[in-house]
């Protein structure tokens, strides 16, 4: 296994996986506890519209995708705040329209046919040195912002009304959080693909939430789990020559089902206990 | 004349064109201990949220210490009605109560020693110090309610709003909590929403009946006369009716 490390693309892939795991562990925790997984999915898919725009108009890929995605994300956030009871429908519409727009714009782009699959599952093995630097920069920014506003985000996520009474600027923070989701999605979409982004954002935080006594620990556990899933996935995909993004997702899904199974066993044992006590 | 703590003038409020509060006038002076009673959907919680500045007034004025609620929100302690929100959230009792010491935009600055002492005092007052490291979902309904009261006390408020603070608490606990509130009332103003009229009656100083309109009844304690007055409120007697029957039964003995 270690002989693989001599290849630069493998080392880059591992580093990209580590950054993705850390960023998704942090942002994913806030996504899961605020129950905005659907919103995060919507942002990730609608980002495809931005990719289409970039190719059609021959604009800078990153600048165009990032601004489009942040625009859509903030629109979704505004809908969440103002029309809460219908927000899921509107987000579903934006989700689909963004994706369709991306596909059509790429159809209309002369002489260029992008492989949709590479955006769905990414191509972590082709991460370049410059991609990596960009990821590290944006990752550091996300860690700084999240830690600076940690107490406020905690209050906002747990009890927004009380947070508001304490003078926490809840609307600003809500938009900031959703902006950070958009940033993470764009930063990771070419590397790990939008499906893997959603998997990294949701599966590990979900497992971590059950065992963590505090939000801080939940972030810590989700980052650890993400690193575990990503590295094991990378190793499996290298060893058995499988599609990397999909392998990482299947490893995460394996972790997810093991954790569910663990719950069932624990539940079963608790139910058995009084019976075995009686037998004594 | 004493300056009022809370002043509500000609307040009207509607949710989706459904009128909730109508021509409300209410003036509350320092050290009041007021019970808000009335039927479900009568507007008690809405009235409290308007006084907290969580809802915006559409017509009329709400002044707390002569200012808009938002400007003085940091002087207000609040115990929400639904303490089951986000039960699965990974947060300890201690962290919930620390929220009462939250000062926004502090960034990386951590809670001070003073904050931690205030939190410890609040938890001890409610007998929750020993549960401080428990996760909030492991608590019983009554314990969770105590944790939320502790959080409101950690604010070191000058006004305390409690929305049905004893709904899940056993009789002994109810007495403990109200004795604590009575003690606090020496220095702060307290407004409490509750259906447990009989438990309340020996602690409170005044009653406001809320059913679209608000009727204020000042009284040192709830007398039979006071109860009679309460019944004259335009209220479907859900809240009033049950304690009323209990009272009558006792009288017949």
């Amino acid at each position: 296994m270690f002989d693989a490390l001599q290849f630069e693309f493998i080392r880059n892939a591992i580093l990209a996986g580590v950054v993705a795991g850390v960023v998704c562990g942090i942002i994913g925790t806030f996504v899961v506890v605020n129950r905005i997984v659907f919103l995060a999915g919507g942002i990730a898919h609608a980002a495809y519209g931005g990719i289409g725009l970039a190719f059609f108009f021959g604009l800078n890929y990153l600048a165009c995708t990032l601004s489009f995605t942040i625009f859509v994300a903030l629109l979704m956030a505004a809908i969440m705040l103002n029309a809460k009871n219908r927000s899921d429908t509107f987000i579903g519409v934006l989700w689909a329209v963004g994706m369709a727009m991306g596909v059509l714009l790429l159809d209309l782009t002369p002489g260029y046919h992008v492989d949709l699959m590479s955006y769905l599952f990414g191509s972590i093995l082709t991460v370049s040195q410059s991609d990596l630097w960009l990821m590290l920069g944006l990752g550091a920014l996300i860690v700084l912002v999240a830690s600076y506003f940690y107490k406020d985000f905690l209050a906002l996520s747990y009890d927004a009304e009380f947070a508001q009474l304490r003078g926490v600027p809840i609307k600003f923070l809500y938009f900031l959080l959703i902006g950070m989701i958009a940033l993470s999605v764009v930063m990771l979409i070419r590397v790990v693909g939008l499906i893997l982004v959603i998997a990294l954002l949701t599966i590990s935080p979900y497992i971590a939430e059950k065992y963590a006594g505090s939000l801080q620990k939940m972030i810590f556990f989700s980052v650890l789990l993400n690193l575990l899933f990503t590295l094991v996935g990378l190793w499996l995909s290298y060893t058995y020559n499988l599609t990397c993004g999909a392998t990482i997702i299947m490893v995460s899904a394996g972790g997810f089902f093991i954790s569910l199974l663990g719950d069932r066993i624990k539940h079963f044992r608790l139910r058995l206990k009084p019976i075995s006590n009686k037998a004594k | 004349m004493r300056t009022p703590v809370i002043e509500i003038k000609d307040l009207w409020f509607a949710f989706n064109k459904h009128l909730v509060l109508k021509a409300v006038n209410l003036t509350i002076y320092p050290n009041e201990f007021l019970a808000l009673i009335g039927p479900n959907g009568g507007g008690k919680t809405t009235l409290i949220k308007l006084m907290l500045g969580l809802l915006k007034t559409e017509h009329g004025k709400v002044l707390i210490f002569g200012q808009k609620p938002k400007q003085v929100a940091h002087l207000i302690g609040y115990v929400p009605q639904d303490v089951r929100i986000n039960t699965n959230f990974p947060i300890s009792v201690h962290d919930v109560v620390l929220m009462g010491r939250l000062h926004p935009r502090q960034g990386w600055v951590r809670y001070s020693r003073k904050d931690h002492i205030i939190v410890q005092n609040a938890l001890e007052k409610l007998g929750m110090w020993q549960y401080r490291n428990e996760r909030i979902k492991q608590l019983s309904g009554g314990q969770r309610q105590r944790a939320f009261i502790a959080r409101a006390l950690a604010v070191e408020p000058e006004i305390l709003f409690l929305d049905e603070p004893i709904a899940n608490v056993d009789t002994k606990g109810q007495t403990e909590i109200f004795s604590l509130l009575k003690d606090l009332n020496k220095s702060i103003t307290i407004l409490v929403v509750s259906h447990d009229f009989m438990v309340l009656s020996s602690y409170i100083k005044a009653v406001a009946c809320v059913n679209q309109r608000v009727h204020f009844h000042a009284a040192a304690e709830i007398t039979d006369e006071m109860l009679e007055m309460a019944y004259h409120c335009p209220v479907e007697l859900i809240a009033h009716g049950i304690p009323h029957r209990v009272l009558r039964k006792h009288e017949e003995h």
Side-chain angles (χ1 to χ4, degrees):
Chain A
M1 168 190 180
F2 289 101
D3 54 324
L5 289 175
Q6 62 184 306
F7 300 113
E8 198 194 339
F9 74 94
I10 291 283
R11 290 199 301 268
N12 284 351
I14 290 176
L15 270 176
V18 168
V19 177
V22 171
V23 167
C24 289
I26 297 169
I27 298 298
T29 294
F30 289 114
V31 168
V32 168
V33 296
N34 281 291
R35 295 187 211 130
I36 49 176
V37 172
F38 190 68
L39 179 82
I43 293 172
H45 284 86
Y48 201 67
I51 298 170
L53 276 178
F55 282 112
F56 184 74
F57 291 106
L59 299 167
N60 177 285
Y61 165 80
L62 192 75
C64 182
T65 314
L66 189 61
S67 34
F68 179 80
T69 311
I70 288 183
F71 168 75
V72 175
L74 295 184
L75 187 65
M76 287 179 178
I79 291 168
M80 283 288 276
L81 284 175
N82 295 314
K84 202 148 199 162
N85 42 2
R86 271 277 160 263
S87 59
D88 54 343
T89 312
F90 289 122
I91 289 167
V93 171
L94 282 172
W95 171 320
V97 168
M99 194 103 199
M101 191 178 120
V103 172
L104 287 183
L105 284 172
L106 286 176
D107 279 348
L108 295 173
T109 305
Y112 195 92
H113 289 283
V114 176
D115 181 13
L116 182 61
M117 283 295 283
S118 74
Y119 287 97
L120 288 180
F121 288 99
S123 42
I124 200 169
L125 294 176
T126 61
V127 178
S128 66
Q129 204 77 38
S130 61
D131 284 340
L132 211 53
W133 280 114
L134 185 73
M135 284 180 71
L136 279 172
L138 289 176
L141 179 71
I142 284 174
V143 171
L144 282 179
V145 172
S147 68
Y148 185 79
F149 289 108
Y150 174 77
K151 284 183 293 186
D152 305 60
F153 275 132
L154 171 64
L156 167 76
S157 310
Y158 181 62
D159 188 345
E161 275 189 346
F162 196 85
Q164 197 181 341
L165 276 186
R166 295 307 303 158
V168 173
I170 55 169
K171 277 196 180 157
F172 165 73
L173 285 179
Y174 196 71
F175 282 111
L176 181 67
L177 175 62
I178 286 169
M180 285 204 293
I181 299 173
L183 190 63
S184 323
V185 163
V186 174
M187 159 187 148
L188 298 173
I189 208 166
R190 194 151 67 161
V191 183
V192 295
L194 60 88
I195 305 228
L196 182 55
V197 170
I198 301 168
L200 289 178
L201 282 175
T202 52
I203 296 179
S204 297
Y206 171 80
I207 301 172
E209 189 185 39
K210 291 190 285 194
Y211 309 106
S214 71
L215 197 68
Q216 239 168 340
K217 283 182 192 151
M218 181 172 163
I219 291 174
F220 182 71
F221 290 155
S222 356
V223 167
L224 279 188
L225 284 171
N226 267 345
L227 294 184
L228 178 77
F229 295 152
T230 314
L231 295 180
V232 170
L234 268 173
W235 175 67
L236 284 177
S237 90
Y238 175 79
T239 313
Y240 298 102
N241 195 22
L242 299 165
T243 305
C244 192
T247 314
I248 296 174
I249 292 173
M250 290 317 277
V251 172
S252 309
F256 179 78
F257 287 114
I258 289 171
S259 111
L260 284 184
L261 199 69
D263 291 349
R264 294 308 301 170
I265 292 170
K266 215 162 113 188
H267 184 69
F268 190 61
R269 274 196 169 168
L270 283 177
R271 276 175 53 189
L272 272 184
K273 245 186 191 163
I275 302 170
S276 58
N277 281 348
K278 257 182 208 167
K280 278 176 197 169
Chain B
M1 198 182 126
R2 288 182 302 168
T3 45
V5 181
I6 299 171
E7 251 186 307
I8 299 178
K9 282 179 198 159
D10 194 30
L11 176 70
W12 295 65
F13 190 81
F15 258 131
N16 299 329
K17 293 180 184 169
H18 170 76
L19 194 62
V20 183
L21 293 168
K22 184 175 164 185
V24 175
N25 286 292
L26 189 64
T27 308
I28 294 165
Y29 292 98
N31 297 79
E32 183 65 275
F33 195 156
L34 176 75
L36 295 171
I37 58 173
N40 294 329
K44 303 183 297 282
T45 300
T46 306
L47 183 61
I48 282 196
K49 287 192 176 173
L50 283 162
M51 288 191 267
L52 290 168
L54 292 174
L55 292 173
K56 274 187 198 146
T57 50
E58 285 161 359
H59 181 276
K61 249 189 199 165
V62 178
L63 294 175
I64 313 280
F65 299 116
Q67 286 179 295
K68 283 188 178 163
K70 258 197 177 157
Q71 270 140 354
V72 288
H74 58 282
L75 300 175
I76 302 175
Y78 172 48
V79 181
Q81 180 176 17
D82 193 359
V83 293
R84 282 165 304 170
I85 44 155
N86 267 335
T87 306
N88 272 324
F89 199 95
I91 191 168
S92 67
V93 172
H94 194 260
D95 283 350
V96 169
V97 180
L98 262 179
M99 268 180 77
R101 302 304 308 161
L102 181 68
H103 306 288
R105 285 178 286 264
Q106 269 196 331
W108 290 296
V109 179
R110 303 182 64 158
Y111 287 107
S112 69
R113 214 183 134 65
K114 187 183 157 225
D115 289 333
H116 281 282
I117 291 168
I118 291 167
V119 165
Q120 179 171 356
N121 283 340
L123 280 165
E124 279 171 350
K125 267 183 190 159
L126 284 137
M128 290 296 292
W129 177 243
Q130 53 180 320
Y131 300 108
R132 64 191 177 279
N133 294 323
E134 295 278 319
R135 203 170 144 169
I136 205 84
K137 78 169 176 188
Q138 273 145 354
L139 301 184
S140 70
Q143 287 171 328
R144 206 171 297 140
Q145 229 142 12
R146 283 166 184 263
F148 276 74
I149 297 172
R151 180 179 70 170
L153 295 189
V155 170
E156 297 198 308
E158 294 187 20
I159 311 175
L160 188 55
F161 290 93
L162 305 102
D163 201 343
E164 300 198 29
I166 54 164
N168 299 308
V169 180
D170 57 31
T171 320
K172 184 171 162 276
Q174 292 179 355
T175 318
E176 281 171 19
I177 288 172
F178 275 112
S179 311
L180 174 67
L181 292 181
K182 196 174 183 179
D183 201 37
L184 288 165
N185 184 231
K186 285 171 195 156
S187 52
I188 67 178
T189 311
I190 299 180
L191 272 79
V192 55
V193 170
S194 185
H195 288 304
D196 299 275
F197 199 50
M198 288 312 289
V199 186
L200 279 173
S201 55
S202 52
Y203 299 97
I204 52 175
K205 296 174 181 166
V207 174
C209 302
V210 185
N211 191 15
Q212 265 197 12
R213 286 171 173 279
V214 174
H215 295 259
F216 183 84
H217 309 282
E221 59 179 303
I222 312 296
T223 58
D224 280 356
E225 229 173 312
M226 178 71 224
L227 275 173
E228 279 298 312
M229 276 168 77
Y231 298 135
H232 287 217
C233 290
V235 168
E236 283 300 319
L237 297 177
I238 301 169
H240 299 178
I242 294 164
H244 180 72
R245 274 201 298 278
V246 172
L247 189 72
R248 283 293 150 87
K249 264 185 191 166
H250 281 277
E251 278 177 346
E252 280 160 14
H253 273 294

